[in-house]
Amino acid sequence: MPIPLDTLFFAGALGLVAIGVVGMLASRHLFRVLLCLGLAEAGGNLLLVLSGYRWDSVAPILTGDLPVGVSMVDPVPQALVLTSIVIGVGMEALAVALLIRIRRAYGTLDGHALLARLREDLDERLGVAPDRSEDLPKGHAPFPAPAAKEQEVNP
Amino acid sequence: MTEWLALILVVMMLAAALAVVLVPNLVGAIAASSAVSLVVAVIFVVLRAPDVAMTEAAVGAGLSAAVLGLGVRRLGLWKLNEGKKDDA
């Protein structure tokens, strides 16, 4: 049962993009979000190179003695990916610098805590009350205990 | 033979990518992302893009890991024996 080579590589690249995106959405620590962004970027690069790939062709390097009937891999996506890799590292360095500034300003890199602090700061700067619902239940359990409720409903 | 090589490479790549998401300490996660970049570089060689493979191995696996590692050290999160995840 031979799997075609293209299908295998496409599955790998799409899996890499999927793992990166799901990890970005699921992880709370901002540094891990950055790492997952790098994963998704590598998967995207792999997809771009795969778009110009041909099974029966050679690397796009001009040596002068290319046999007749042999074609080359498309070099345009490869040039694009070459640029994309370098830009990706620059973006990672920028993100690390931003994380250092965030850690210095807020003292944490947890996403939920940072969001809460950001909302508090915005409310304080705008001079408005914190955005809370009046129906917010107090305590940990929003619903009363089932036995008490049953007695209340069916006396 | 090439199919087996490709299968091994893809499985290694996806396993390292899962390790980036699941490994609890950040230094291990950075090492796993560097391993992903190395496997992707080998896949670029198989896909007949040797220049891209060279750049990916040098920049993606080397420089990127150096930048991320220095950032982790600067953030004060360089802990090797940390058992639990997401110690923000």
Side-chain angles (χ1 to χ4, degrees):
Chain A
M1 192 185 71
I3 309 169
L5 208 60
D6 288 353
T7 313
L8 195 57
F9 280 136
F10 267 112
L14 285 176
L16 202 56
V17 173
I19 288 175
V21 170
V22 169
M24 252 195 293
L25 292 177
S27 51
R28 286 180 64 173
H29 200 281
L30 285 189
F31 201 88
R32 204 172 292 272
V33 174
L34 174 59
L35 287 176
C36 292
L37 183 65
L39 284 187
E41 177 203 321
N45 288 341
L46 204 52
L47 277 179
L48 268 177
V49 170
L50 271 169
S51 73
Y53 176 61
R54 288 184 51 169
W55 164 241
D56 52 350
S57 49
V58 298
I61 299 170
L62 286 176
T63 52
D65 51 353
L66 191 67
V68 179
V70 173
S71 56
M72 283 181 175
V73 179
D74 191 4
V76 176
Q78 298 188 6
L80 286 178
V81 166
L82 208 60
T83 315
S84 163
I85 290 170
V86 178
I87 288 178
V89 171
M91 190 195 62
E92 261 179 3
L94 175 67
V96 167
L98 284 177
L99 287 186
I100 290 173
R101 298 303 293 258
I102 288 173
R103 170 95 171 177
R104 223 175 254 168
Y106 287 101
T108 179
L109 281 181
D110 184 39
H112 296 185
L114 274 177
L115 199 59
R117 294 286 303 273
L118 199 65
R119 286 204 176 123
E120 278 177 14
D121 276 2
L122 275 180
D123 286 343
E124 189 185 339
R125 196 159 294 183
L126 292 175
V128 297
D131 188 17
R132 289 206 183 88
S133 166
E134 292 176 355
D135 302 330
L136 195 69
K138 291 175 183 173
H140 291 291
F143 300 112
K149 190 178 177 184
E150 220 175 61
Q151 273 185 0
E152 208 176 298
V153 172
N154 304 322
Chain B
M1 187 262 166
T2 317
E3 281 86 2
W4 286 108
L5 179 68
L7 189 62
I8 290 170
L9 285 176
V10 167
V11 168
M12 272 173 66
M13 181 178 75
L14 292 182
L18 279 180
V20 170
V21 184
L22 297 179
V23 161
N25 69 22
L26 285 176
V27 183
I30 290 171
S33 80
S34 184
V36 170
S37 279
L38 275 180
V39 180
V40 167
V42 178
I43 287 178
F44 281 150
V45 172
V46 176
L47 293 181
R48 297 184 180 81
D51 47 350
V52 182
M54 206 164 57
T55 311
E56 175 81 29
V59 173
L63 188 62
S64 169
V67 166
L68 291 174
L70 286 176
V72 160
R73 212 190 63 176
R74 189 70 177 264
L75 286 168
L77 298 174
W78 187 283
K79 294 166 192 155
L80 291 178
N81 295 323
E82 197 64 35
K84 59 183 189 297
K85 196 175 176 181
D86 284 349
D87 45 342

